[in-house]
């Protein structure tokens, strides 16, 4: 353990070559008795644990090996996305730096020979899971092997699950060349950590996108090729952002098993503040428990914080229905997805704006001009830190927003579009610095235009 601690100290703040990183990861990488595989990009199947391990550890290893084989069998021999990268690509990687580590694994960033960046994920030999196992059994090599099954399980899942909300597996290096310990490094799509505090400061439309993406992911997991999948460690830290899209990046605690039961009393779904009674099916499984566990976790970690705040007032009743129905688990994932898509339709189509007074008539339109971009009054939540830049459905909605803000005297509909296709409107406190632009129109309050020279 002293050597492992030294590795951890060396990792802190280090930027290493790929070869140096692999050397440092020797204590943290996957340690399994070599089965098939070796040097390629395939995962391989680990062999049986050596006979001299403590009985308790041998049983834990047997169970994880059984779970891995059951998971592979659940795919029914279907096509697996193996990814194109292998050990050769890893050996040429440069600019490697450790991003962080957790209970079981360590994650690093690296640049491939072509310049693309990837995340490297390996077993953390000095992590808490290995340390606690060593305290129980006193067998470091066996404990690293035990932790290694979680990475193998994750790779197996990523090979078979294909969805925009799941981080992409680019490949893996499986190396057992003449060494009693084999090593696996998964090469994954690189994302940035999900920062909930930052998300709370973003426009409602962007937060709705995060929640909708999560619902689509949970719908896929409920109907996946492997059966209904539950994310047992459902936390915001298990997700990353890739090009503005939410993706789950940690799948080692996912499970395709639904709780077995003999009667309904065996099927209580417990959370810290609520419990939900479920039904025991005729086949002895708690009906929908995986789907409902995912959905309630989405409600308590994401929906309650991201959905309601600063949403358009006309959409608030629909969002309240979603929050109430998912918070009480009256909705399943199918109903939840339908409710989200209804809100999206109302928002994109502008139907939520019906029965509003027409205010654009109170503005003078100056065609063929636009305003010079400059720092102006701020509004929340704005798409720009320099001023007030908001998503609108039309110039009519922009006029209503401008009327509601005492500082606003004019606005322009920009060429920028959000992910829904809606334009961004820039609101200004004065009418200055107009420049010619044949495709633009500046809208000025009549009360402001009467006092300024146009």
């Amino acid at each position: 353990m002293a050597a492992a601690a030294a590795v951890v100290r060396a990792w802190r703040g280090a930027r290493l070559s790929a070869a140096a990183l692999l050397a440092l990861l020797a204590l943290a990488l996957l340690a399994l008795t070599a089965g098939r595989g070796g040097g390629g990009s395939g995962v391989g199947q680990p062999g049986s644990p050596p006979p001299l391990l403590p009985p308790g550890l041998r049983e834990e290893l047997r169970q994880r090996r059984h779970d891995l084989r059951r998971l592979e069998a659940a795919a029914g021999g279907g096509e697996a996305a193996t990814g194109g990268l292998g050990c050769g690509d890893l050996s040429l990687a440069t600019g490697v730096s450790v991003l962080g580590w957790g209970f079981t694994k360590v994650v690093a960033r690296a640049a491939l020979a072509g310049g693309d960046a990837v995340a490297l994920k390996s077993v953390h030999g000095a992590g808490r899971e290995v340390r606690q196992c060593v305290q129980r059994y006193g067998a470091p090599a066996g404990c690293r092997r035990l932790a290694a099954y979680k990475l193998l399980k994750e790779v197996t899942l990523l090979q078979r699950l294909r969805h925009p909300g799941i981080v992409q597996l680019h490949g893996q290096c499986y190396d057992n060349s003449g060494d009693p310990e084999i090593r696996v490094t998964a090469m994954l799509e690189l994302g940035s950590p999900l920062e909930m505090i930052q998300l709370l400061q973003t426009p409602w439309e962007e937060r709705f996108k995060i929640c909708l993406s999560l619902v689509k992911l949970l719908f896929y997991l409920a109907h996946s090729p492997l059966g209904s999948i539950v994310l047992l460690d459902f936390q915001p830290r298990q997700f990353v952002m890739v090009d503005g899209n939410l993706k789950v990046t940690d799948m080692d605690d996912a499970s395709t098993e639904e709780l077995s039961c003999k009667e309904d009393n065996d099927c209580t779904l417990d959370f810290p503040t609520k419990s939900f009674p479920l039904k025991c099916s005729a086949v002895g499984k708690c009906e929908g428990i995986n789907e409902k566990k995912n959905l309630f976790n989405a409600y308590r970690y994401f929906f309650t914080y991201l959905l309601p705040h600063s949403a358009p007032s006309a959409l608030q009743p629909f969002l309240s229905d979603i929050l109430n129905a998912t918070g009480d688990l009256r909705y399943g994932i199918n109903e939840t997805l339908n409710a989200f898509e209804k809100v999206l339709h109302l928002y994109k189509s502008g139907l939520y704006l019906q029965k509003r007074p027409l205010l654009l008539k109170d503005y003078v339109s100056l065609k063929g001009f636009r305003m010079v971009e400059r720092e102006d009054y701020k509004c929340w939540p704005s798409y720009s830190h320099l001023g007030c830049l908001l998503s609108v459905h039309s110039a009519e909605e922009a006029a209503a927003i401008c009327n509601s803000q005492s500082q606003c005297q004019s606005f322009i509909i920009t060429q920028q579009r959000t992910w829904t296709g809606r334009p961004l409107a820039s609101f200004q406190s004065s009418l200055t610095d107009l420049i010619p632009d044949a495709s633009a129109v500046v809208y000025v309050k009549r009360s402001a235009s009467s006092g300024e020279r146009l």
Side-chain angles (χ1 to χ4, degrees), residues 360-374:
L360 194 58
K361 58 181 173 49
D362 298 329
Y363 288 76
V364 175
S365 61
L366 304 178
K367 297 181 179 180
F369 292 93
R370 64 180 173 86
M371 295 176 287
V372 175
E373 290 187 17
R374 60 183 178 84

Side-chain angles (χ1 to χ4, degrees), residues 121 154 158 161 163-168 188-189 214 217-218 221 231 233-242 245-252 254:
K121 187 178 288 188
E154 184 167 18
L158 293 176
L161 299 177
H163 188 270
I166 299 175
V167 73
Q168 184 180 352
L188 308 170
E189 188 175 23
L214 180 57
L217 169 63
L218 298 189
L221 293 179
L231 302 177
D233 188 15
F234 196 118
Q235 300 275 351
R237 65 173 178 267
Q238 308 298 338
F239 295 83
V240 294
M241 298 296 294
V242 180
N245 298 303
L246 180 75
K247 301 199 177 202
V248 62
T249 186
D250 206 337
M251 296 288 290
D252 61 357

Side-chain angles (χ1 to χ4, degrees), residues 97-131:
S97 60
V98 173
L99 298 176
W101 51 82
F103 191 79
T104 304
K105 292 163 294 186
V106 60
V107 181
R109 173 194 173 104
L112 300 177
D116 294 335
V118 295
L120 306 179
K121 187 178 288 188
S122 301
V123 168
H124 187 0
R128 190 188 307 175
E129 178 167 354
V130 173
R131 294 200 313 269

Side-chain angles (χ1 to χ4, degrees), residues 30-32 57 59-62 64 104 123 129-130 133 136-137 140-151:
L30 178 60
L32 297 170
L57 180 54
E59 175 57 26
E60 289 195 47
L61 286 165
R62 185 201 65 78
R64 287 199 182 178
T104 304
V123 168
E129 178 167 354
V130 173
C133 174
R136 292 195 306 271
Y137 299 117
C143 289
R144 292 194 297 270
R145 188 177 298 114
L146 182 67
Y149 276 107
K150 297 186 75 171
L151 181 57

Side-chain angles (χ1 to χ4, degrees), residues 297-316:
N297 278 326
Y299 158 79
R300 66 178 180 143
Y301 287 119
F302 287 86
F303 299 167
T304 55
Y305 299 106
L306 302 182
L307 267 187
H309 308 297
S310 72
S313 58
L315 295 178
Q316 288 283 3

Side-chain angles (χ1 to χ4, degrees), residues 367-371 433-440:
K367 297 181 179 180
F369 292 93
R370 64 180 173 86
M371 295 176 287
D433 300 327
L434 291 181
I435 58 176
D437 186 335
S439 63

Side-chain angles (χ1 to χ4, degrees), residues 108-339:
R109 173 194 173 104
L112 300 177
D116 294 335
V118 295
L120 306 179
K121 187 178 288 188
S122 301
V123 168
H124 187 0
R128 190 188 307 175
E129 178 167 354
V130 173
R131 294 200 313 269
Q132 291 179 348
C133 174
V134 172
Q135 290 173 358
R136 292 195 306 271
Y137 299 117
C143 289
R144 292 194 297 270
R145 188 177 298 114
L146 182 67
Y149 276 107
K150 297 186 75 171
L151 181 57
L152 279 177
K153 173 186 174 182
E154 184 167 18
V155 169
T156 300
L157 282 169
L158 293 176
Q159 285 178 332
R160 287 163 173 81
L161 299 177
R162 306 179 191 182
H163 188 270
I166 299 175
V167 73
Q168 184 180 352
L169 176 71
H170 290 315
Q172 60 276 336
C173 174
Y174 179 78
D175 180 17
N176 66 344
S177 53
D179 191 56
E181 293 186 354
I182 64 174
R183 300 175 175 90
V184 170
T185 299
M187 288 168 272
L188 308 170
E189 188 175 23
L190 182 66
S192 57
L194 185 67
E195 300 289 351
M196 292 298 289
I197 294 179
Q198 291 182 9
L199 278 180
L200 290 171
Q201 300 172 27
T202 59
W204 175 83
E205 188 173 325
E206 301 307 311
R207 286 182 273 121
F208 180 79
K209 177 186 178 182
I210 296 294
C211 293
L212 177 61
S213 298
L214 180 57
V215 170
K216 289 181 176 179
L217 169 63
L218 298 189
F219 179 86
Y220 174 78
L221 293 179
H223 306 284
S224 88
L226 304 180
S228 181
I229 296 176
V230 62
L231 302 177
L232 295 174
D233 188 15
F234 196 118
Q235 300 275 351
R237 65 173 178 267
Q238 308 298 338
F239 295 83
V240 294
M241 298 296 294
V242 180
D243 297 328
N245 298 303
L246 180 75
K247 301 199 177 202
V248 62
T249 186
D250 206 337
M251 296 288 290
D252 61 357
D253 285 314
S255 174
T256 60
E257 282 288 286
E258 292 203 291
L259 185 65
S260 297
C261 58
K262 294 182 179 179
E263 57 184 21
D264 291 350
N265 288 338
D266 298 329
C267 293
T268 301
L269 182 56
D270 290 317
F271 293 96
T273 59
K274 282 190 175 182
S275 295
F276 301 95
L278 304 180
K279 296 290 185 182
C280 182
S281 70
V283 295
K285 297 290 183 179
C286 296
E287 290 183 359
I289 192 167
N290 287 353
E291 171 187 331
K292 292 181 182 297
K293 187 168 188 176
N294 283 341
L295 187 55
F296 188 79
N297 278 326
Y299 158 79
R300 66 178 180 143
Y301 287 119
F302 287 86
F303 299 167
T304 55
Y305 299 106
L306 302 182
L307 267 187
H309 308 297
S310 72
S313 58
L315 295 178
Q316 288 283 3
F318 300 98
L319 298 175
S320 295
D321 287 345
I322 291 175
L323 287 169
N324 292 332
T326 53
D328 294 335
L329 287 185
R330 287 184 285 109
Y331 279 180
I333 191 60
N334 294 2
E335 296 88 350
T336 303
L337 180 57
N338 288 337

